[in-house]
Amino acid sequence: MKTIKVIMLVLNVLLFTACNAQIKNQKTETVKVYGNCDMCKSTIEKEGKKKKEAKVEWNEDTKMATISYDSLKTTSSEILKRIALSGYDNELYIAPDDAYANLPNCCQYERKVQNLVKADEPKMDMKEDHSGHDHNAMTDTKQDEPQ
């Protein structure tokens, strides 16, 4: 009888813990993250995870990561940047060369040339319009055309 009570108590604690660990305001996205092996999986998931804020599950075969996060506390971009800083290129960021070089040999994947932001470069705030330019200072100059 005592054994049954202990088992029930343990099950209740596990159930409470599982329910308590859920992410509020959850948003889920699937993105490409490059890597090769179980060690990559461990690092990618660890770097992307933040308690009660984000969780990452990476599939070694498809190279796809399912990112679940609290949309009021973080963004998928922030999570992907953390993953890139640990050495793994993804859809948004290229890992810094030194972080990639520090990966074990089994984790070094074939890097593809991408037009993405390096994770260690500062983000530039670009304006869509040209309202900050002085268009009156511009002159119409005709350049010589080759003949």
Side-chain angles (χ1 to χ4, degrees), residues 32-46:
K32 184 85 153 185
V33 178
Y34 295 92
N36 291 327
C37 61
D38 285 337
M39 201 178 328
C40 297
K41 177 179 176 64
S42 175
T43 303
I44 291 166
E45 291 179 354
K46 183 183 90 182

Side-chain angles (χ1 to χ4, degrees), residues 6-22:
V6 170
I7 291 173
M8 293 299 287
L9 179 64
V10 169
L11 287 175
N12 283 334
V13 168
L14 290 175
L15 182 61
F16 176 77
T17 303
C19 291
N20 197 24
Q22 290 180 352

